[in-house]
Amino acid sequence: MDTKRERVWEILRENVAEEVLLKHCIAVEIAMRAYAERYGEDTEYWGAIGLLHDIDFEKYPEQHPLEAPGILSRYGYDQAFITNVLAHGLDWQPERTLLQKTLVAVDALTGFIIACALVRPDKSLDNLEVKSVLKKMKDKAFARAINRERITEPAEALGVELQEHIDFVRKALADAVKKPEYQAIPLIG
Ligand SMILES: [Fe+2]
């Protein structure tokens, strides 16, 4: 089971071609790494979960995430890794672990934050304010595909205050997009 970013990225690319989905996986990876660091957890492992959590979505959108176990086990990922991926499913019943709660809490939020940055004149994550994100959450016409409850409820389940959570993830994304490893497929642009 390889959690090194280079190999994980290769595996993702073998299963996902759409740039939109790749960008989503990268954004979730970035947020997972940031929270892993904050919680004193394994950043590489949490990042790998973030990158691979939607590995079956492009090929099996209807079955997602139930096709992920087959794909991930073919690449040698163990049951614990697979369970972490499965646990972000909407109808997952067992109590989620810290990692699993974090994954759900950043899944929809990352895309929403990026959508907020993209409508700014400078398209910048650096200058995006929390109050502007909160305001856009109330604007039903904005990024209507993103269910706001999939941002607020998992944040509550994780036990993080919404404003602080938004700013933490925003900053993680803003810092990461400046790094060389995130230049190949820019999140913004
Ligand atoms: Fe996702």
Side-chain angles (χ1 to χ4, degrees):
M1 180 174 89
D2 204 335
T3 54
K4 293 226 167 33
R5 189 175 195 276
E6 218 180 306
R7 178 61 186 142
V8 171
W9 179 245
E10 254 175 36
I11 292 169
L12 182 65
R13 292 305 307 260
E14 282 170 21
N15 290 275
V16 174
E18 287 168 30
E19 200 167 286
V20 177
L21 185 54
L22 289 170
K23 285 183 179 186
H24 167 68
C25 295
I26 293 167
V28 171
E29 178 211 6
I30 292 166
M32 288 298 283
R33 281 178 176 271
Y35 265 117
E37 201 176 325
R38 171 163 154 177
Y39 293 139
E41 299 284 344
D42 183 339
T43 53
E44 185 179 282
Y45 184 87
W46 282 45
I49 296 282
L51 270 180
L52 297 179
H53 79 286
D54 278 342
I55 193 160
D56 64 340
F57 190 79
E58 187 172 295
K59 289 182 189 155
Y60 309 97
E62 300 300 320
Q63 295 92 329
H64 170 75
L66 301 179
E67 292 294 328
I71 301 171
L72 291 170
S73 63
R74 278 199 292 282
Y75 287 105
Y77 289 97
D78 64 14
Q79 193 53 51
F81 192 100
I82 288 168
T83 302
N84 286 331
V85 167
L86 283 175
H88 88 282
L90 287 181
D91 38 20
W92 180 258
Q93 294 299 327
E95 167 82 8
R96 291 185 172 105
T97 64
L98 181 65
L99 177 152
Q100 295 162 3
K101 284 178 183 169
T102 305
L103 179 59
V104 181
V106 302
D107 197 1
L109 177 62
T110 47
F112 194 82
I113 290 174
I114 290 168
C116 291
L118 285 172
V119 296
R120 289 179 52 85
D122 63 0
K123 292 193 176 7
S124 165
L125 283 158
D126 293 308
N127 303 322
L128 176 65
E129 292 183 59
V130 176
K131 66 175 184 203
S132 152
V133 177
L134 289 170
K135 203 170 145 193
K136 290 215 160 49
M137 281 178 69
K138 292 194 187 108
D139 176 357
K140 289 200 177 83
F142 179 80
R144 50 166 27 119
I146 302 175
N147 182 342
R148 308 316 198 241
E149 285 174 4
R150 295 199 58 202
I151 295 175
T152 55
E153 286 173 6
E156 210 179 306
L158 182 60
V160 289
E161 198 267 319
L162 185 61
Q163 297 193 17
E164 203 264 323
H165 177 50
I166 291 170
D167 205 47
F168 181 80
V169 173
R170 178 207 60 80
K171 189 172 182 309
L173 293 169
D175 293 346
V177 295
K178 299 178 185 89
K179 294 181 182 168
E181 60 265 42
Y182 296 111
Q183 302 302 318
I185 298 181
L187 289 185
I188 303 277

